[in-house]
Amino acid sequence: MKFFVDTADVKEIKDLAATGLLDGVTTNPSLVAKSGHSNFLDLIREICAIVDGPVSAEVAATDYEPMREEALYLVKNLPRNVAIKVPLTPAGLKVCKELSEKGTMVNVTLCFSPAQAILAAKAGATFVSPFVGRLDDIGENGMQLIADICEIYMAYPNFKTEVLVASVRHPQHVVQAAKMGAHVSTIPPAVIRQLFGHPLTDKGLAQFVADWAKTGQKIIP
Ligand code: G3P
């Protein structure tokens, strides 16, 4: 499973890229606003220089023509590892189809149903982003959506779209998505850090350090 970080915070991206475990980055207008960065294209260029893998940059327009213009402008002015993020609407899917046919990576976002995920695959999306946390928030089952999409996509080998699990709230979302065979999770920085932790790892390591000290030895003389 690939790990993307779901943030537009450059410092966080640098820190997590240093782990060597980061495969990409997703941003959205809310995360860009939160970053406080005043030049969107410069921000995405900076992120693309830190992480080789796909970096999602989202269009702002909602109507087809202006959305298409924005998407083409982003493709022209950003590095090759950018994935253009469009909403799961008729306009977004039309833009997705055109960009995908030209070989541009597209991430179709705001997916909340299996039917929408089928449309994204038919439009040739590189990634579809189902939002699990937001479904859980309204009392639905976000992970059931991932299970449904994985089952459908596996039944159609000509669907090349990768399932990018988004709106991840905790490590169990990541683990369950991995068990279902989802291709990617985009994870907030705090949740990525949670993935590393287990109290028995901390306890066991403290014991090893203490016992090693008792031996009085050094591995490197
Ligand atoms: O980037 C899209 C998605 O991951 C947003 O998550 O936490 O705002 O529901 P959230």
Side-chain angles (χ1 to χ4, degrees):
M1 169 180 261
K2 285 176 273 193
F3 280 1
F4 292 178
V5 64
D6 197 24
T7 186
D9 182 324
V10 170
K11 186 180 171 305
E12 290 276 32
I13 294 166
K14 277 186 185 156
D15 282 357
L16 291 164
T19 66
L21 302 176
L22 202 58
D23 302 299
V25 179
T26 51
T27 69
N28 63 36
S30 306
L31 293 170
V32 172
K34 193 174 163 193
S35 78
H37 213 289
S38 56
N39 186 318
F40 177 50
L41 270 79
D42 279 351
L43 171 63
I44 299 298
R45 284 186 195 106
E46 199 177 343
I47 297 171
C48 285
I50 300 166
V51 179
D52 286 339
V55 173
S56 289
E58 188 160 342
V59 294
T62 54
D63 290 339
Y64 170 66
E65 280 298 345
M67 189 191 295
R68 178 179 181 274
E69 275 177 38
E70 284 182 356
L72 294 176
Y73 185 84
L74 292 173
V75 171
K76 190 175 167 197
N77 290 285
L78 288 172
R80 290 282 301 162
N81 59 324
V82 78
I84 304 301
K85 205 173 183 186
V86 298
L88 208 156
T89 60
L93 293 179
K94 202 169 164 186
V95 172
C96 171
K97 191 156 196 307
E98 181 180 340
L99 295 185
S100 301
E101 282 171 357
K102 288 179 181 161
T104 298
M105 288 190 287
V106 182
N107 178 359
V108 176
T109 190
L110 292 167
C111 173
F112 292 96
S113 78
Q116 291 179 316
I118 294 170
L119 295 176
K122 286 180 68 68
T126 315
F127 306 105
V128 66
S129 291
F131 280 32
V132 294
R134 292 192 195 183
L135 281 171
D136 292 351
D137 291 346
I138 61 162
E140 293 195 22
N141 185 342
M143 293 316 300
Q144 185 57 49
L145 174 60
I146 303 304
D148 289 343
I149 298 172
C150 287
E151 182 183 342
I152 292 164
Y153 281 12
M154 275 189 273
Y156 291 91
N158 62 320
F159 282 175
K160 303 297 180 204
T161 304
E162 296 195 3
V163 180
L164 195 170
V165 180
S167 188
V168 163
R169 301 275 197 261
H170 48 71
Q172 275 309 310
H173 275 152
V174 179
V175 173
Q176 288 168 23
K179 287 170 83 170
M180 290 167 185
H183 307 83
V184 192
S185 279
T186 188
I187 315 170
V191 178
I192 293 187
R193 294 198 177 91
Q194 279 182 288
L195 295 172
F196 285 89
H198 195 286
L200 290 179
T201 303
D202 299 340
K203 188 179 172 197
L205 187 57
Q207 186 70 56
F208 287 156
V209 168
D211 289 343
W212 180 251
K214 287 180 208 160
T215 74
Q217 299 181 58
K218 286 183 177 172
I219 291 178
I220 302 173

